[in-house]
């Protein structure tokens, strides 16, 4: 009797080429604005000439693609092998601007980035062992915070983009609302394939409306070069300053914490739970990409939460779709004219699509929290305080302005602030002094082979 091959997990399925291209492009459009924001902010703060700024952007796109391929496809012990898009972390913006504008310049930034990446590679196994501190109580809270903290990004896009002269104009919000309506209608009424590329359809229709109404300008396409290749140490050999390295190491710890939350969120959405070894492999890939970033004139890399929502919304779980998106980013980095075309998409179009994507992340967090028992314990307090702390820097961006730089780096990220708070409160209420709850049992049971989700559903013991 012939043996049948085991079924392929949806994460490992390879869709037809036509679907790969459409799904992959959808992921690129969802993250493009965020991908180029970091080089724009850092380069702008350092008052770099336009040619250098353009170089930073193409280098960033190229490395975003390479980092995504490393994470999705993987080799040896590098790569989580899940549908994870990679991009420059915003946690590094403030420290890099400080390093770059106080005499060190780009070489000092890149020296600290290289050291940060090497440290992340070394620390990856340690973080992998911390997975037992992420039961459903903590993971659901962190995923909820990720989604809610991204919503202001979508709101700023919908209003026209931060710094836009027409920010908040009704026409911008109307365009965003129109795109949102298209996305929802396509998802609800279109055939299965189209419903899975609802975001791509919404952006395409939004662009078709935006062009005749003067929302976008394709002048940058003519000015862009046809070919652009990032060469190692284009801005000079890296320099290593102790203060710069210390601040970037703090960024590395924050990035690893945020990335852990993103990995767990995608693991929940794809039904491939994160294990300590796969978490370590994913964080090790982050470190490698960050080292490459320092060599090829860009910045630290992390999992992009924007695309986590797209995975949950479309229910397309194949990592090869996101690997295709990585290949598209490599092309955009090598062919600046293509990148300029994508950059011409107006912010309100992205805002309309972003509202539903980021809301999906928050809803996924609520779904995970539904596994947690809130009866007769302090789990509700853990969620309440963690979300409150995580939302503080989102709602009041300057709340920690008078604190030391290292503290701001950690706490200005709502994701890392909320994650640290959730872990600490879970330990305080469910472990210290013999406290116990259904969620807390996940920590104890993780070493015996149970998944956190299974343990989190246990009833409270008498």
């Amino acid at each position: 009797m012939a043996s049948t091959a085991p079924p392929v997990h949806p994460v490992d399925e390879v869709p037809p080429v036509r679907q790969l291209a459409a799904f992959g492009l959808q992921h690129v459009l969802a993250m493009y604005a965020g991908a180029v924001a970091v080089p724009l902010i850092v380069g702008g703060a350092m008052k770099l000439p336009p040619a250098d700024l353009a170089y930073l952007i193409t280098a960033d796109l190229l490395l975003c693609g390479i980092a995504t391929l490393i994470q999705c496809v993987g080799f040896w012990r590098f790569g989580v092998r899940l549908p994870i898009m990679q991009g420059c972390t915003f946690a590094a913006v403030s420290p890099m601007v400080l390093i770059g504008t106080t005499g060190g310049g780009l070489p000092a930034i890149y020296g600290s980035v290289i050291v940060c990446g090497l440290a992340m590679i070394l620390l990856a196994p340690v973080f992998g062992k911390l997975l037992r501190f992420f039961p459903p109580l903590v993971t659901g809270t962190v995923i909820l915070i990720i989604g809610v903290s991204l919503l202001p990004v979508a709101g700023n896009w919908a209003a026209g983009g931060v710094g836009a002269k027409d920010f908040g104009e009704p026409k911008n919000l109307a365009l965003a609302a129109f795109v949102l309506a298209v996305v929802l209608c396509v998802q609800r009424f279109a055939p299965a394939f189209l419903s899975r590329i609802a975001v791509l359809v919404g952006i395409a229709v939004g662009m078709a409306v935006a062009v005749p109404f003067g929302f976008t300008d394709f002048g940058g396409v003519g000015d862009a070069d046809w070919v652009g290749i990032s060469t190692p140490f284009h801005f000079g050999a890296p320099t290593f300053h102790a203060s710069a390295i210390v601040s970037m190491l703090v960024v590395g710890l924050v990035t690893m914490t945020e990335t852990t939350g993103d990995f767990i969120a995608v693991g929940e959405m794809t039904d491939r739970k994160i294990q300590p070894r796969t978490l370590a492999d994913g964080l090790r890939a982050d470190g490698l990409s960050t080292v490459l970033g320092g060599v090829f004139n860009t910045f630290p890399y992390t999992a992009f939460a924007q695309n986590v929502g797209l995975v949950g919304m479309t229910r397309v779980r194949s990592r090869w779709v996101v690997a295709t998106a990585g290949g598209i980013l490599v092309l955009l980095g090598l062919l600046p004219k293509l990148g300029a075309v994508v950059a011409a998409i107006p912010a309100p179009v992205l805002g309309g699509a972003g509202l539903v994507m980021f809301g999906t992340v928050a809803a996924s967090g609520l779904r995970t929290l539904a596994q947690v028992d809130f009866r007769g314990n302090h789990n509700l307090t853990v969620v309440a305080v963690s979300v409150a702390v995580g939302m503080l820097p989102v709602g009041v961006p300057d709340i920690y302005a008078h604190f030391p730089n290292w503290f701001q780096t950690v706490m200005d990220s709502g994701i890392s602030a909320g994650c640290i708070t959730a872990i600490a409160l879970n330990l305080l209420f469910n472990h210290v002094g013999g406290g116990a709850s259904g969620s807390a049992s996940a920590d104890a049971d993780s070493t015996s082979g149970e998944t956190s989700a299974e343990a989190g559903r246990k009833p409270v013991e008498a």
Side-chain angles (χ1 to χ4, degrees):
M1 181 176 178
S3 60
T4 57
V8 177
H9 192 282
V11 168
D12 298 318
E13 286 182 349
V14 182
V17 173
R18 178 174 63 94
Q19 294 184 13
L20 275 175
F23 293 149
L25 179 59
Q26 185 170 239
H27 272 281
V28 170
L29 296 179
M31 61 84 69
Y32 187 90
V36 301
V38 172
L40 280 173
I41 295 170
V42 175
M46 295 178 64
K47 296 181 171 55
L48 295 180
D52 287 347
L53 203 54
Y55 192 95
L56 284 182
I57 292 172
T58 55
D60 176 41
L61 292 173
L62 175 65
L63 263 294
C64 280
I66 292 172
T68 298
L69 288 168
I70 293 172
Q71 197 67 269
C72 293
V73 179
F75 67 93
W76 190 51
R77 296 297 303 277
F78 291 86
V80 72
R81 295 169 175 83
L82 284 173
I84 294 284
M85 287 291 289
Q86 297 286 104
C88 285
T89 175
F90 284 86
V93 169
S94 295
M96 290 192 301
V97 169
L98 189 63
I99 296 167
T101 56
T102 54
L106 286 171
I109 292 176
Y110 295 139
S112 63
V113 168
I114 291 171
V115 175
C116 173
L118 293 172
M120 290 169 70
I121 293 173
L122 294 175
L123 288 173
V126 177
F127 260 75
K129 294 176 182 176
L130 298 179
L131 190 60
R132 71 189 192 92
F133 295 108
F134 287 84
L137 175 63
V138 174
T139 59
T141 302
V142 172
I143 296 168
L144 174 61
I145 292 170
I146 290 172
V148 176
S149 65
L150 284 171
L151 287 174
V153 176
N156 283 323
W157 286 347
V162 176
K165 293 179 181 179
D166 60 350
F167 186 86
E169 289 278 346
K171 64 175 185 178
N172 291 334
L173 295 172
L175 178 59
F178 171 72
V179 172
L180 174 60
V182 171
V183 171
L184 294 177
C185 288
V186 171
Q187 194 173 19
R188 173 64 181 86
F189 299 109
F193 172 68
L194 279 180
S195 70
R196 291 185 173 185
I197 55 169
V199 169
L200 179 60
V201 174
I203 290 174
V205 173
M207 277 291 286
V209 172
V211 171
F213 282 95
F215 277 92
T216 189
D217 178 16
F218 288 98
V221 178
D223 297 333
D225 295 329
W226 280 104
V227 178
I229 299 176
S230 180
T231 55
F233 307 125
H234 174 79
F235 295 99
T239 58
F240 302 92
H241 302 280
S243 58
I245 290 171
V246 170
S247 63
M248 204 56 66
L249 288 176
V250 175
V251 169
L253 293 174
V254 172
T255 299
M256 294 175 83
T257 304
E258 291 181 348
T259 300
T260 298
D262 291 329
F263 286 169
I264 291 172
V266 174
E268 294 275 350
M269 293 174 179
T270 58
D271 295 324
R272 177 171 279 181
K273 305 296 183 186
I274 291 292
Q275 302 297 328
R277 173 168 176 152
T278 53
L279 174 58
D281 290 349
L283 294 175
R284 198 177 284 113
D286 264 12
L288 174 60
S289 299
T290 297
V291 172
L292 292 175
V295 173
F296 286 94
N297 321 293
T298 180
F299 308 114
Y301 283 88
T302 185
F304 247 38
Q306 286 94 320
N307 298 82
V308 173
L310 193 56
V311 172
M313 176 190 160
T314 62
R315 299 185 297 278
V316 176
R317 296 180 280 178
S318 171
R319 61 190 172 107
W320 298 105
V321 164
V322 179
T324 302
I328 295 172
L329 284 171
V330 170
L331 282 178
L332 294 177
L334 295 175
L335 303 173
K337 273 200 185 297
L338 285 180
V341 172
V342 177
I345 298 174
V349 172
L350 296 174
L355 285 170
V356 65
M357 288 192 303
F358 304 161
T360 300
V361 180
S364 297
L366 294 176
R367 183 176 61 187
T368 301
L369 286 173
Q371 303 171 8
V372 178
D373 196 328
F374 288 99
R375 296 168 298 176
N377 54 45
H378 300 287
N379 287 343
L380 195 63
T381 301
V382 175
V383 177
V385 176
S386 301
V387 172
V389 173
M391 289 302 99
L392 274 179
V394 177
V396 190
D398 297 326
I399 191 169
Y400 301 121
H402 297 290
F403 284 74
N405 289 331
W406 67 266
F407 186 90
Q408 292 184 49
T409 301
V410 176
M411 299 302 289
D412 273 348
S413 165
I415 298 171
S416 63
C419 183
I420 292 169
T421 304
I423 293 172
L425 292 180
N426 179 52
L427 291 174
L428 174 65
F429 284 111
N430 295 324
H431 294 275
V432 175
S437 73
S439 172
S441 66
D443 291 7
D445 291 331
S446 62
T447 55
S448 65
E450 293 183 25
T451 67
S452 60
E454 292 165 345
R457 286 189 288 267
K458 288 186 177 181
V460 180
E461 296 179 357

